[in-house]
Amino acid sequence: MKIPIFNHPFHLVDMSPWPLTSACGAFLLTSGFTDWFLTGSFFLAGTGLSSIILSMIQWWRDISREATYQGIHTVPVATGMQWGMILFIVSEIMFFFSFFWAFFHSSLSPCLELGAIWPPMGVYALDPFGVPLLNTVILLSSGVTVTWAHHSLLEQNFKEAKESLFITIILGAYFTRVQVMEYFDSSFSLADSVYGSIFFVATGFHGFHVFIGASFLAVVFYRLWKSHFSSEHHFGFEAAAWYWHFVDVVWLFLFIFIYWWGAA
């Protein structure tokens, strides 16, 4: 007697090379940055970055196929992915928490080597109400537009969803451009005491997260353009929006404490 085979609602992930290539790319990128700082050669870091970008493209392609054409992302699977995204964002919060811990450890009780003052002697902090305030307005505006896009998608107004999401991507790119300009115009560098180290590492990693978030939104925009989403089935869009709101909140803390309070 033949035993019937029933489909289950869960997704057993197929074997994929992209986690391995992403891990190798991340290793080459971090090692390459060290080599870049010491020798000035960007070859190793560039190789790692290329590996990560190619892995992202292939991995997103596979996930888009699973969600759109293969019907693998059932309701239980989508619920699991939502929890996975929440836990990922929590891990990112802990990542940035370490930077704020280092900042408060040094700023609340500056040692004698720093002149017992904060910012340290010889370091002139950036005016928080100049470029940093502009970037705050840009990023908060992008949070409004991505929320607008989400509500438009829920209401099946796909035209407004595309327009508002495109505006969000442009604002993210503009934020990154202004951030880079600020780095070139700053009077201190990464090597200027603990202040420079904390400032550039914290804001630099945030800028990297903005770049990743904008790339995420660009993929979502392409999928929205190809009609991959509906008002009920659009976890990819939700995940990108959650990540973007996380980036917004982190920037608010950076602006308030490192730019404003830290420069007072």
Side-chain angles (χ1 to χ4, degrees):
M1 179 174 141
K2 185 177 180 181
I3 300 175
I5 300 175
F6 297 97
N7 292 328
H8 57 75
F10 302 102
H11 178 206
L12 301 179
V13 181
D14 296 331
M15 294 183 64
S16 171
W18 313 130
L20 178 61
T21 57
S22 299
C24 292
F27 175 75
L28 290 175
L29 181 63
T30 53
S31 304
F33 273 133
T34 304
D35 185 51
W36 183 32
F37 293 154
L38 294 176
T39 66
S41 173
F42 194 72
F43 174 76
L44 194 60
T47 302
L49 182 61
S50 300
S51 176
I52 291 175
I53 292 174
L54 291 174
S55 300
M56 287 168 57
I57 293 172
Q58 300 296 325
W59 207 341
W60 262 320
R61 179 206 62 184
D62 291 349
I63 294 175
S64 298
R65 288 175 176 173
E66 292 173 358
T68 308
Y69 304 114
Q70 298 176 3
I72 293 176
H73 291 183
T74 59
V75 173
V77 172
T79 301
M81 291 191 297
Q82 288 173 346
W83 278 108
M85 190 65 191
I86 290 172
L87 293 175
F88 170 70
I89 292 176
V90 170
S91 72
E92 291 281 59
I93 292 173
M94 296 297 103
F95 177 74
F96 279 98
F97 181 80
S98 64
F99 298 143
F100 286 105
W101 184 285
F103 171 77
F104 285 115
H105 175 78
S106 299
S107 61
L108 292 176
S109 182
C111 60
L112 293 176
E113 289 79 5
L114 299 178
I117 58 173
W118 190 265
M121 293 183 63
V123 174
Y124 300 96
L126 296 168
D127 179 12
F129 299 107
V131 173
L133 182 60
L134 172 63
N135 259 349
T136 302
V137 173
I138 294 171
L139 209 54
L140 292 181
S141 299
S142 70
V144 173
T145 55
V146 77
T147 303
W148 174 23
H150 191 195
H151 282 279
S152 298
L153 182 57
L154 291 174
E155 295 172 359
Q156 301 186 30
N157 190 341
F158 298 105
K159 181 176 182 294
E160 280 195 6
K162 294 172 188 175
E163 292 173 351
S164 50
L165 187 58
F166 181 74
I167 294 172
T168 305
I169 298 170
I170 295 299
L171 289 173
Y174 186 50
F175 173 91
T176 304
R177 181 178 183 276
V178 174
Q179 186 78 51
V180 172
M181 292 173 57
E182 179 189 61
Y183 284 171
F184 281 108
D185 292 338
S186 65
S187 61
F188 55 92
S189 67
L190 182 67
D192 285 332
S193 76
V194 67
Y195 182 90
S197 299
I198 294 174
F199 175 85
F200 281 103
V201 169
T203 59
F205 268 112
H206 176 267
F208 180 70
H209 281 69
V210 171
F211 170 75
I212 294 297
S215 302
F216 199 171
L217 291 174
V219 173
V220 169
F221 178 79
Y222 174 78
R223 294 189 63 194
L224 186 61
W225 191 270
K226 290 293 185 178
S227 302
H228 288 185
F229 298 128
S230 67
S231 58
E232 295 85 15
H233 187 74
H234 55 267
F235 170 73
F237 186 100
E238 285 184 335
W242 292 354
Y243 189 83
W244 197 254
H245 287 308
F246 158 74
V247 169
D248 285 348
V249 173
V250 171
W251 176 257
L252 280 178
F253 279 94
L254 288 172
F255 175 75
I256 293 171
F257 292 112
I258 293 183
Y259 280 101
W260 187 4
W261 184 83

